[in-house]
Amino acid sequence: MHKRKRMSPEESRRLAVATARDILREEGAAAVTLKAVAGRMGRTHAALLHHFGSVDGLHAQLADEIAHEVADSIAGSIGRYQAGKVKLRRVVEEMFTAFREQHFGELIAWVVLQRRREALAPVEHAIAGVITKITPPGDDRPLDRATMGLVLVAIGDALVGEEVARACNLPHDVAHEIAVKQILAVLGELR
């Protein structure tokens, strides 16, 4: 008989979030349930319920992890842009890629459609952190508005960007050009 390795509560939570992330990538947000995660981990549903309280707790933890990774990526991209190392289009492309590849847009949409908005608190905190990181002292440009616009466009792109581009008979990367122009207009840099 094979014995399961005993894990600390923290190790078990980390493994559960990593497993949930795998399921999110492979099957989508709707498939991220306590039962599915527990089954893949070889644990019981009750054990995960003990660690997270509910599927909402698991989704919140998953959103927190992804939000911080995406926020760090965005802040890094914007930092490189501010230092003159990359063009704004590259920042937009990196953000859109992060939202799409991490299934972040889908996770946000799923949580909202399930009417569990409280699970989005980590996303709110991560976005607020990005704005704080990218706003140098004395900078009065509306970076908060530019960030809001970019995040909303990135979420939409992650959800239906390919399909809308196809419907408009345009290449998908046209969305990047539109986002860049909108951000520059918000920042007052288009004259």
Side-chain angles (χ1 to χ4, degrees):
M1 183 167 165
H2 178 262
K3 269 189 132 177
R4 280 189 285 187
K5 178 189 172 219
R6 185 126 173 96
M7 289 188 271
S8 72
E10 187 55 40
E11 288 173 321
S12 187
R13 278 191 291 277
R14 267 196 309 273
L15 178 59
V17 171
T19 302
R21 199 164 181 169
D22 289 343
I23 293 170
L24 175 65
R25 267 191 227 100
E26 296 164 14
E27 302 176 45
V32 180
T33 64
L34 291 176
K35 183 178 178 182
V37 172
R40 196 175 281 196
M41 289 174 60
R43 302 288 185 209
T44 65
H45 177 272
L48 289 187
L49 196 56
H50 172 74
H51 289 304
F52 297 102
S54 67
V55 73
D56 293 346
L58 174 62
H59 285 171
Q61 193 77 31
L62 180 60
D64 183 58
E65 182 176 295
I66 295 172
H68 283 91
E69 283 180 25
V70 170
D72 288 346
S73 171
I74 293 165
S77 294
I78 292 172
R80 289 191 303 281
Y81 168 70
Q82 289 172 327
K85 294 179 180 177
V86 296
K87 301 255 184 229
L88 183 57
R89 180 180 172 97
R90 184 72 191 135
V91 174
V92 169
E93 288 169 349
E94 288 177 5
M95 184 170 183
F96 281 29
T97 298
F99 270 71
R100 191 173 47 255
E101 288 181 358
Q102 297 300 324
H103 294 270
F104 198 42
E106 182 181 350
L107 181 62
I108 289 169
W110 176 250
V111 168
V112 169
L113 290 171
Q114 295 299 307
R115 298 181 186 257
R116 297 190 317 248
R117 289 180 177 268
E118 65 282 352
L120 294 179
V123 176
E124 291 177 41
H125 295 299
I127 292 169
V130 167
I131 294 168
T132 301
K133 282 182 191 175
I134 67 171
T135 307
D139 189 343
D140 63 353
R141 292 178 303 157
L143 294 171
D144 51 355
R145 292 174 185 269
T147 302
M148 180 181 181
L150 185 54
V151 169
L152 291 173
V153 173
I155 291 169
D157 180 69
L159 293 173
V160 294
E162 303 249 347
E163 293 80 4
V164 172
R166 210 172 25 252
C168 294
N169 199 28
L170 292 168
H172 185 206
D173 69 348
V174 168
H176 303 168
E177 294 167 26
I178 293 167
V180 168
K181 287 178 183 173
Q182 287 177 341
I183 291 165
L184 291 174
V186 166
L187 294 177
E189 296 178 14
L190 269 183
R191 306 255 186 247

